[in-house]
Amino acid sequence: HKAVRDARKRILNGDPEEKFTGKAFVILNNQKYVDVLINKFKRTRLKRILTHIAFQWLKLSKKKYQDDKWWQGKRVDMERATEPTNIYWENMAIQPNDRFWRTLATYGAACLCLLVVFFLNVGISVIQNNINEDLDKKDNKSFSYIFLTSLSFLSSILIAANNTILYHVIMYISKFERHQTHVKYYAAVSFKLTICMVINSGVIPLIVNPGKKNWFNPGGLAVDMFFIVFALSFISPTVCLFDPLHYWKRFRFWWEERKGEKSRMTQREANELAEGIEWEVPYYYGLSMSKLIITFFYTP
């Protein structure tokens, strides 16, 4: 306790050698005390954002709203500590305000990716509409029907591929947010990916097919959504089942087994080959949620 009091005095006196991170891990002997403290001091992210806007942007007086949840002009927040192996210790010093702006930046990058996908879908839709308008002027309509259906199938493949690209892009840019734990990082990826997949697979096809005139024609919205749902439901799991990287690992494992004692593979390399492919939980969570939302949205 004396060391804590001395450290507090140095912080209050502005000692440059004493760096206060603003975080502390508290251990309690009774589980009931933990629940009481968390229920009292825990805040949702929305409340934190509104508090920041009220005091930092609108310059409201803090003294008017301070109660026993405040300490030295700062709002105390508490949450249940996670497992030590789940923590990004290098990210603990990131302030919530800084993480908020980082999160906005990642959402902006995701919006730019969706904008590129939007223009690709617009291009395919324009081609389909032009062919659809010329159907009545041609005698050979069967070829046009087949070509329009092929374009719808191609569009669904493109959307499924864009979902995979969005996943890798979001995984990469979400690291910029510097989350405190692995669980929060994967939850953020899953949330953003679900929104992007719903917009990419369900909202953009509706936007590029305005009006109900051509919805049920060849290459219209109904045909596009049929192939899109088909691609999301069957093509993505099939690609996972026949993942080339998995079979390449199995081939290397079999090849090293044939060498026997002549193999120079280390135990670590053998373990990595035997582990197989890592299950991408955020991707399949976002894929499942997006299919569920799209199905509810387009159900008559």
Side-chain angles (χ1 to χ4, degrees):
H1 296 289
K2 183 178 182 301
V4 174
R5 288 196 299 269
D6 293 341
R8 183 172 181 274
K9 289 180 180 179
R10 290 195 297 270
I11 293 172
L12 294 176
N13 294 331
D15 189 351
E17 296 182 359
E18 191 67 36
K19 295 182 179 180
F20 178 61
T21 61
K23 296 179 178 65
F25 290 90
V26 181
I27 300 176
L28 301 174
N29 295 327
N30 196 318
Q31 182 66 33
K32 181 180 179 181
Y33 300 153
V34 177
D35 297 334
V36 170
L37 288 175
I38 290 178
N39 291 334
K40 181 176 181 179
F41 290 98
K42 187 176 182 180
R43 287 189 299 171
T44 62
R45 179 176 296 182
L46 178 60
K47 288 184 178 180
R48 294 184 182 184
I49 294 174
L50 294 177
T51 302
H52 177 78
I53 294 175
F55 296 137
Q56 300 297 327
W57 294 1
L58 301 180
K59 303 298 182 180
L60 297 180
S61 176
K62 293 183 179 180
K63 295 182 179 180
K64 182 179 179 181
Y65 300 94
Q66 287 184 10
D67 51 17
D68 57 349
K69 299 178 183 179
W70 291 70
W71 184 69
Q72 293 188 352
K74 299 290 184 180
R75 175 61 162 82
V76 178
D77 293 302
M78 286 191 182
E79 61 182 13
R80 194 178 302 275
T82 184
E83 295 294 331
T85 54
N86 186 37
I87 298 176
Y88 288 115
W89 294 99
E90 65 274 15
N91 296 343
M92 295 300 292
I94 302 297
Q95 297 296 322
N97 297 339
D98 187 16
R99 187 173 291 110
F100 171 75
W101 291 112
R102 288 171 178 268
T103 303
L104 286 183
T106 58
Y107 274 101
C111 290
L112 290 177
C113 295
L114 287 174
L115 192 62
V116 174
V117 174
F118 172 75
F119 284 113
L120 290 175
N121 282 274
V122 167
I124 295 177
S125 179
V126 169
I127 295 175
Q128 290 175 328
N129 291 334
N130 291 335
I131 296 176
N132 222 342
E133 291 176 357
D134 295 338
L135 277 177
D136 297 332
K137 303 177 182 179
K138 296 182 179 179
D139 296 332
N140 189 10
K141 296 182 180 181
S142 59
F143 174 77
S144 299
Y145 287 144
I146 295 174
F147 186 68
L148 284 171
T149 305
S150 301
L151 281 179
S152 296
F153 181 73
L154 176 63
S155 176
S156 67
I157 299 297
L158 180 64
I159 287 175
N162 288 334
N163 285 338
T164 304
I165 295 173
L166 283 172
Y167 165 68
H168 292 288
V169 171
I170 290 174
M171 283 281 290
Y172 178 77
I173 63 178
S174 293
K175 296 179 181 178
F176 180 72
E177 297 176 4
R178 305 287 295 275
H179 291 280
Q180 296 176 338
T181 64
H182 294 271
V183 173
K184 290 182 178 180
Y185 167 68
Y186 287 121
V189 172
S190 300
F191 181 74
K192 283 193 285 289
L193 188 62
T194 300
I195 295 176
C196 290
M197 281 187 172
V198 169
I199 295 175
N200 179 40
S201 306
V203 178
I204 290 179
L206 181 62
I207 295 175
V208 299
N209 289 280
K212 300 180 181 180
K213 180 181 178 181
N214 297 323
W215 276 9
F216 300 96
N217 293 338
L221 179 64
V223 180
D224 288 346
M225 291 310 304
F226 171 80
F227 284 112
I228 289 172
V229 174
F230 175 82
L232 295 179
S233 302
F234 295 100
I235 294 180
S236 297
T238 303
V239 171
C240 177
L241 181 62
F242 298 100
D243 192 339
L245 184 59
H246 169 72
Y247 292 101
W248 170 247
K249 282 191 171 185
R250 299 306 301 170
F251 172 76
R252 287 188 57 196
F253 194 85
W254 170 79
W255 184 259
E256 293 297 332
E257 276 187 329
R258 286 190 57 189
K259 294 182 180 179
E261 297 180 354
K262 296 182 181 180
S263 177
R264 296 184 179 181
M265 179 176 289
T266 63
Q267 185 62 45
R268 180 185 294 273
E269 293 174 343
N271 292 339
E272 291 178 355
L273 291 179
E275 287 175 356
I277 305 300
E278 183 179 357
W279 183 254
E280 298 172 338
V281 176
Y283 173 74
Y284 290 102
Y285 179 85
L287 184 63
S288 301
M289 290 301 298
S290 62
K291 286 189 294 185
L292 183 64
I293 295 173
I294 291 172
T295 302
F296 284 157
F297 181 75
Y298 282 98
T299 300

